[in-house]
Amino acid sequence: MSSAGDGEDGGGAAADTMVLEITDAAASPSSAPPPPPIPVSALAAPLPSPTVLAVRADRSRLIESSSYFRALLGGSFSESGSGYVRISCDLAAAVQVLRYLFEPPASFAISHHNFLPLLEGALFLAVESLLVDCERWFRTVRSRNPSMVVPLDFIIEAWYFAPKHGVTFVEDVCPGYLAQNFVQVISSRSFVHIPYDLLCSTIESPHLTVDSEKQLCEAILSWVSASRQSCEQSVSNSADNQLSLLSKVRVCLLPLGFAAGTKRNCFEFGNNAVCMILNLLKDSLQTLLHTVTDDNLDSYRIRLTEYSKKIVLSGCPQLTTQFLYISALPTDLDAVFKRTIVSDVNDGCLNHYNGLVKKAKTLSFRNFEDLQCLLLRCPWINEINLSIDTSVILSKYSIISSRSEVRRDVNRNLSSYYMQSGLYGTSGNPVFSNISKLILEGRNDITDMNLLEISMLKSSLCYINIKHCTLLTDDDSFSYHKDEHAHVMAFRLQELHLEGCEGISCAAMSQLVSNMNIVKSLCLRETSLADGALCNFVGSSLEYLDISETVVSMVSLAPVIRRNSNLSCLKTAGCRNLLFEQGEVQSTSGNKYGRFLQEITSTCYLEDVEMGWAFCPVRVDDLIPSFSKVRRMTVGLGTTLPENILHALPEICPFLESLVLRFQVISDRVVRNLLESSTNLQVLCLHYCLGNLTSFSFQTMAPALRILRLQWVTPWITNDDLTILTQNCNLVELLLSGCKLLDSSSQEIISSGWPNLACLQLEECGQITLDGVDSILDCKALEEVLLRHTGRGIGRTIITDAIRELPLLRKLALDLCDASEGGYDTPNVPEGKMMRSVRMSRCKKSVAAARSCFGEASSSSSNRKPVQHRETIVLEWSSRQLTTTVVEERL
């Protein structure tokens, strides 16, 4: 590139100035005279003509910089002595080359905007220095900060350009560049336009960086889907490309549920993936040892690269510590050493650790006994999630009996998961000062003492979730407490979730709420929250507020809504006192409040709303524009939305993703319009709704729908209706109640149509399980199953069979009425690692009903009433024990 002052404007070079007329090679011939010559310094401005350009340039500079001009102007051609020379080439490319040659370096730079014209011009005009600069710039693209990533469209265009012009360095760089930025690349709309050969090279690159194997597989499937719809490839080529790309996926690293879901459109691939994962779950160690012996570890390696920022392994119970080890091992280790390492990790020891450090230089992965040990060994951790499934036995239930058995396989040396107070919160232990987020949801053995110990993290903790930690009272009466940590966390907290913590008293709740000034997310659902406490809340930064199932009224809620204009989530279901004008606190002078709907529509633009009592819009205008951003909506007992409102929901809430309706009046017109017009709708739940629905409601495509719950609203559903549903939507959760026309064939329709189901709940659904549950057990991704009054054909070993066949199963609910042999066997130690609870309900019996589970109605009656259950037997497994509880109610 020239230095400042170069060009025809310099006095000493004026005598060597010539006029170069450039005609665009793609333009049609024209008899019009060329425009007057302009100086090269004017090339940065808009050109006077898009097809022809005359420019004054220094002849010596052209000859010096370009082999093309050296031959044309300095050789035996007639142009060598002429002051006016004509050439034909790509005009835009020629302009960029002239700017490169004559503009000062500070005012001209190579970028993705001008790279291809520069490269094309440099090739045509043989500007060697520019070719070198273009290659240098393109190779540095890979080393740039991700925030400076060049557009994918540019990479694709460069890839197509390279072979046509014999440029090899572009083909060297593109796959590696896309591989290391693959997470950003797949989010681009242009991803599906990547050429097949470039995508193949990218996936094969050792620098391929993804958050998970699922992410890679999803990207390939989306590319394949777009390719099928394109006319650019023949059907045979498209099928071959699909198989070739999918063969590069390391299927044993996929989540089981996702792998099962691919069977809908790629049955052979999905079925093979599911089989491999299930085999790993049976004995992953032996599989890995055989793989090490065969020196074929690549298909089992988690993709870790120097560019990795996040690794997601959720939903992959088959991935053990050994997988982490082999993923971190260098590829040049010999097979014997790899086999030894894998065996040592399985034994929980590292006999060859020194050899590993010497040869592999990896971190050691040891089993951490508790949170304290974890933090001491990993001081950089700032978020901890120790949540578990919430116990189904709540304090409001009447317990008949309860007993516990210590699990035989429990490690009695394990210490508790919380930290000792003397070990953190002090200057001598700074490793604990990094914790900003702590999730202990469902830990119903956490006490106030533990909460006090956690409060030692006051300097860093800003998010805490202790939902359903039922033993907590937040009592400050400890004699040694001395208030030094009383509500110290509350002052700094930005997010607090206390759902189900009913033990916290009104006084403690009032003091807690009064200290939260900067909180953004607050969940006090099913707590002792009342007007007296909420009136003490003075925060103005709320974005999320859940006070469902509390006794607050508009006296305390209205000021909170008015003061927090950024509120995007408001949940008030079950708050009956919102209907009343006075709560337990008298409104102060000037504290006038209006109707509930009036308050939220005049202040908020909600995205998540859960309403019941006092939510009574009658016109569409009542909800526009404050509901125009709503994505999740629940409307329950306490209000009835008119049909015109329900039908207009897609218009009122164009971004609606989830809709739950309880006790509403619905129709085919409403449901059909929701499925057709709400294109983002992923969740549709209809509970105890009135109206005359027919099969017409669901005879439409709903490709986004993932969760469908139909509770006592569709008694007419048949196997044909189920088949149509499987064709129209890809569900991961299905709940059906009262569908009495279904039979044992329904199982096969459900399992083959939705192989990736994670949750299946069937209640009062004809005779689905009359012949057993074999097809249900084929849904390998199931995490939660409920079968009640579905046919007396469930075998005695159902619990053991389900745990063995469904590796992700956490919750199982059965009814003894459906037992073919009168009952079920219950294991003390479940083989699976995921099982949390089993519920078995028992019905009331009457003389008239004999052994029938349908009350006093005869077996021939078509209008049998739902059964009243006498009690529920609940088995709950923890890491230490099995607890068996008999509850008077039906759970």
Side-chain angles (χ1 to χ4, degrees):
M1 191 180 293
S2 65
S3 59
D6 286 344
E8 83 291 345
D9 295 328
D16 204 21
T17 298
M18 58 168 290
V19 175
L20 183 64
E21 181 183 311
I22 309 171
T23 302
D24 192 272
S28 302
S30 174
S31 58
I38 62 174
V40 291
S41 58
L43 292 177
L47 299 180
S49 169
T51 59
V52 63
L53 172 69
V55 61
R56 294 192 299 274
D58 186 306
R59 178 190 296 267
S60 299
R61 167 66 59 162
L62 294 175
I63 294 174
E64 174 188 340
S65 304
S66 164
S67 298
Y68 175 90
F69 286 119
R70 193 176 304 127
L72 182 66
L73 303 179
S76 58
F77 293 102
S78 59
E79 288 86 354
S80 61
S82 174
Y84 197 104
V85 176
R86 295 182 177 87
I87 65 171
S88 176
C89 63
D90 184 282
L91 181 58
V95 167
Q96 293 299 324
V97 171
L98 291 176
R99 291 187 62 194
Y100 167 84
L101 293 176
F102 292 101
E103 285 189 17
S107 62
F108 184 85
I110 300 177
S111 70
H112 68 269
H113 297 292
N114 61 14
F115 171 79
L116 289 177
L118 276 173
L119 184 56
E120 182 175 359
L123 290 168
F124 183 84
L125 299 176
V127 182
E128 290 83 0
S129 61
L130 179 54
L131 288 172
V132 172
D133 285 347
C134 283
E135 180 174 356
R136 181 185 298 114
W137 178 87
F138 198 78
R139 290 191 182 278
T140 60
V141 166
R142 282 190 57 182
S143 61
R144 298 189 180 188
N145 189 294
S147 63
M148 300 175 63
V149 171
V150 297
L152 179 57
D153 287 335
F154 165 73
I155 296 294
I156 295 174
E157 189 178 359
W159 181 263
Y160 281 124
F161 176 92
K164 294 178 181 178
H165 296 82
V167 179
T168 58
F169 68 83
V170 169
E171 296 179 344
D172 294 339
V173 173
C174 285
Y177 171 78
L178 294 185
Q180 74 183 53
N181 296 288
F182 199 73
V183 175
Q184 292 87 1
V185 167
I186 60 178
S187 63
S188 170
R189 293 183 178 180
S190 300
F191 172 74
V192 295
H193 301 304
I194 294 179
Y196 168 74
D197 52 349
L198 174 56
L199 183 57
C200 277
S201 300
T202 298
I203 296 173
E204 292 170 351
S205 171
H207 302 292
L208 181 65
T209 304
V210 290
D211 294 344
S212 65
E213 201 69 17
K214 173 188 173 184
Q215 189 179 55
L216 172 62
C217 190
E218 285 179 325
I220 291 176
L221 290 174
S222 68
W223 187 94
V224 167
S225 177
S227 177
R228 286 175 177 171
Q229 300 172 14
S230 172
C231 298
E232 297 177 0
Q233 301 186 62
S234 67
V235 175
S236 59
N237 285 341
S238 177
D240 291 342
N241 291 349
Q242 171 184 339
L243 293 174
S244 177
L245 289 172
L246 289 176
S247 68
K248 303 179 189 303
V249 176
R250 300 173 182 178
V251 294
C252 63
L253 306 181
L254 293 174
L256 179 56
F258 174 80
T262 62
K263 293 168 66 175
R264 279 176 60 94
N265 299 313
C266 304
F267 180 82
E268 184 176 351
F269 170 81
N271 192 57
N272 177 58
V274 169
C275 290
M276 288 190 65
I277 294 170
L278 292 177
N279 287 336
L280 278 174
L281 285 168
K282 292 177 183 177
D283 194 345
S284 62
L285 176 62
Q286 287 303 317
T287 301
L288 290 178
L289 290 176
H290 288 312
T291 304
V292 171
T293 302
D294 298 336
D295 200 19
N296 185 30
L297 275 179
D298 283 348
S299 59
Y300 296 88
R301 285 179 180 268
I302 300 168
R303 298 182 192 266
L304 296 174
T305 73
E306 60 184 296
Y307 310 103
S308 297
K309 294 183 178 179
K310 179 173 65 174
I311 298 296
V312 179
L313 303 178
S314 59
C316 301
Q318 74 275 19
L319 300 185
T320 60
T321 308
Q322 291 91 344
F323 281 86
L324 296 175
Y325 253 92
I326 65 174
S327 302
L329 292 176
T331 57
D332 57 350
L333 287 180
D334 62 81
V336 175
F337 189 70
K338 291 178 184 176
R339 186 181 177 91
T340 302
I341 291 173
V342 172
S343 300
D344 284 352
V345 175
N346 184 67
D347 294 335
C349 63
L350 289 177
N351 296 330
H352 293 77
Y353 178 72
N354 292 331
L356 178 65
V357 171
K358 181 178 180 181
K359 293 188 177 183
K361 297 182 180 178
T362 63
L363 293 175
S364 64
F365 294 89
R366 294 178 182 269
N367 294 323
F368 301 120
E369 292 187 348
D370 52 21
L371 182 58
Q372 171 188 320
C373 179
L374 173 65
L375 293 176
L376 287 173
R377 294 183 182 276
C378 303
W380 58 86
I381 289 178
N382 59 14
E383 295 185 9
I384 298 173
N385 187 337
L386 296 175
S387 61
I388 58 175
D389 286 326
T390 301
S391 174
V392 298
I393 304 174
L394 304 180
S395 58
K396 62 182 179 181
Y397 297 141
S398 301
I399 297 177
I400 299 175
S401 64
S402 181
R403 61 185 175 86
S404 299
E405 303 174 45
V406 177
R407 290 181 55 166
R408 292 191 297 269
D409 60 342
V410 69
N411 182 352
R412 299 182 184 276
N413 294 322
L414 289 179
S415 58
S416 57
Y417 56 81
Y418 54 85
M419 300 172 290
Q420 300 300 316
S421 59
L423 293 176
Y424 56 94
T426 65
S427 59
N429 289 278
V431 295
F432 302 114
S433 62
N434 294 326
I435 304 174
S436 61
K437 186 173 184 178
L438 183 61
I439 303 177
L440 301 173
E441 183 174 341
R443 296 284 181 176
N444 53 13
D445 53 348
I446 288 183
T447 65
D448 286 333
M449 176 67 74
N450 306 139
L451 188 61
L452 176 61
E453 293 168 344
I454 290 171
S455 71
M456 302 285 187
L457 301 172
K458 60 183 182 297
S459 61
S460 61
L461 195 64
C462 60
Y463 176 109
I464 185 167
N465 181 340
I466 45 179
K467 288 182 179 180
H468 296 289
C469 295
T470 54
L471 295 183
L472 293 180
T473 67
D474 203 23
D475 187 4
D476 298 328
S477 61
F478 297 116
S479 58
Y480 53 84
H481 195 282
K482 299 181 181 178
D483 287 335
E484 70 271 25
H485 297 295
H487 302 292
V488 289
M489 288 192 294
F491 182 75
R492 288 182 51 88
L493 285 178
Q494 297 184 35
E495 297 190 42
L496 176 63
H497 295 261
L498 292 177
E499 178 181 340
C501 295
E502 298 176 346
I504 301 178
S505 66
C506 294
M509 181 66 70
S510 181
Q511 185 179 3
L512 174 66
V513 170
S514 66
N515 281 275
M516 293 189 293
N517 299 329
I518 62 173
V519 65
K520 295 182 178 180
S521 179
L522 183 59
C523 177
L524 302 175
R525 190 186 193 103
E526 298 178 13
T527 65
S528 61
L529 181 70
D531 282 341
L534 193 56
C535 281
N536 289 334
F537 178 74
V538 296
S540 58
S541 303
L542 274 179
E543 299 173 4
Y544 177 104
L545 178 61
D546 186 353
I547 55 170
S548 300
E549 305 296 337
T550 62
V551 295
V552 299
S553 73
M554 288 303 295
V555 172
S556 59
L557 181 58
V560 173
I561 294 176
R562 293 172 184 170
R563 196 167 54 246
N564 291 270
S565 58
N566 291 326
L567 198 63
S568 61
C569 173
L570 181 60
K571 299 185 178 184
T572 62
C575 295
R576 293 172 177 262
N577 284 357
L578 292 179
L579 286 172
F580 307 133
E581 294 187 356
Q582 294 292 335
E584 64 181 56
V585 176
Q586 297 293 325
S587 58
T588 57
S589 176
N591 183 23
K592 296 181 180 180
Y593 52 90
R595 294 182 299 112
F596 177 53
L597 183 60
Q598 175 186 338
E599 293 294 343
I600 61 176
T601 55
S602 63
T603 307
C604 311
Y605 283 87
L606 298 173
E607 297 181 13
D608 190 349
V609 59
E610 188 172 318
M611 305 297 183
W613 301 96
F615 179 62
C616 300
V618 294
R619 301 177 306 159
V620 173
D621 292 343
D622 290 342
L623 303 179
I624 297 177
S626 59
F627 277 51
S628 61
K629 296 182 179 180
V630 167
R631 297 181 181 274
R632 294 168 294 278
M633 176 184 285
T634 297
V635 181
L637 186 64
T639 191
T640 299
L641 292 183
E643 186 181 24
N644 68 314
I645 297 286
L646 289 172
H647 187 267
L649 278 180
E651 175 189 351
I652 299 170
C653 312
F655 305 107
L656 192 64
E657 297 174 357
S658 173
L659 178 64
V660 180
L661 299 178
R662 292 187 174 93
F663 302 100
Q664 302 299 304
V665 180
I666 56 177
S667 64
D668 281 345
R669 176 172 175 262
V670 167
V671 176
R672 182 74 177 237
N673 187 56
L674 279 168
L675 295 176
E676 289 180 342
S677 303
S678 296
T679 56
N680 298 316
L681 191 65
Q682 299 176 28
V683 179
L684 178 61
C685 304
L686 306 176
H687 301 281
Y688 304 100
C689 291
L690 305 177
N692 296 316
L693 288 187
T694 70
S695 58
F696 178 75
S697 295
F698 299 97
Q699 292 175 358
T700 183
M701 295 294 293
L705 195 65
R706 294 294 178 267
I707 296 176
L708 180 63
R709 299 173 186 165
L710 303 175
Q711 193 166 18
W712 299 103
V713 293
T714 54
W716 42 261
I717 280 186
T718 64
N719 286 341
D720 290 341
D721 297 321
L722 269 183
T723 301
I724 293 173
L725 266 177
T726 63
Q727 297 167 353
N728 289 339
C729 53
N730 182 15
L731 299 181
V732 296
E733 182 173 328
L734 175 67
L735 184 155
L736 297 176
S737 294
C739 304
K740 298 178 181 179
L741 301 180
L742 300 181
D743 56 31
S744 56
S745 299
S746 307
Q747 278 193 51
E748 172 62 25
I749 296 172
I750 291 172
S751 62
S752 60
W754 297 303
N756 55 327
L757 274 180
C759 177
L760 177 62
Q761 299 187 23
L762 304 173
E763 184 174 10
E764 303 286 351
C765 286
Q767 301 295 311
I768 286 183
T769 59
L770 185 63
D771 296 328
V773 293
D774 289 348
S775 292
I776 291 178
L777 297 182
D778 287 337
C779 295
K780 301 301 182 181
L782 280 171
E783 300 178 20
E784 184 174 349
V785 176
L786 183 149
L787 302 171
R788 280 180 175 162
H789 294 170
T790 52
R792 185 170 293 168
I794 301 179
R796 176 174 290 277
T797 61
I798 175 60
I799 298 175
T800 303
D801 294 342
I803 292 173
R804 183 181 64 252
E805 296 295 329
L806 305 176
L808 301 183
L809 189 65
R810 297 173 8 254
K811 298 180 180 180
L812 177 63
L814 303 168
D815 198 297
L816 291 174
C817 299
D818 298 320
S820 60
E821 301 173 65
Y824 307 116
D825 295 333
T826 57
N828 176 270
V829 182
E831 296 178 13
K833 301 177 181 178
M834 303 294 180
M835 179 55 77
R836 170 67 174 165
S837 68
V838 173
R839 289 173 285 161
M840 294 173 285
S841 298
R842 294 195 288 203
C843 298
K844 288 183 178 179
K845 295 181 180 179
S846 66
V847 176
R851 296 187 64 188
S852 172
C853 58
F854 293 99
E856 297 182 355
S858 65
S859 59
S860 62
S861 174
S862 60
N863 295 312
R864 295 178 296 185
K865 297 180 180 179
V867 175
Q868 293 181 337
H869 285 71
R870 180 174 60 186
E871 57 193 21
T872 302
I873 304 170
V874 181
L875 309 178
E876 290 187 306
W877 284 271
S878 69
S879 60
R880 297 177 177 274
Q881 63 187 17
L882 164 63
T883 302
T884 303
T885 307
V886 180
V887 182
E888 189 171 352
E889 292 85 357
R890 178 190 185 184
L891 305 183

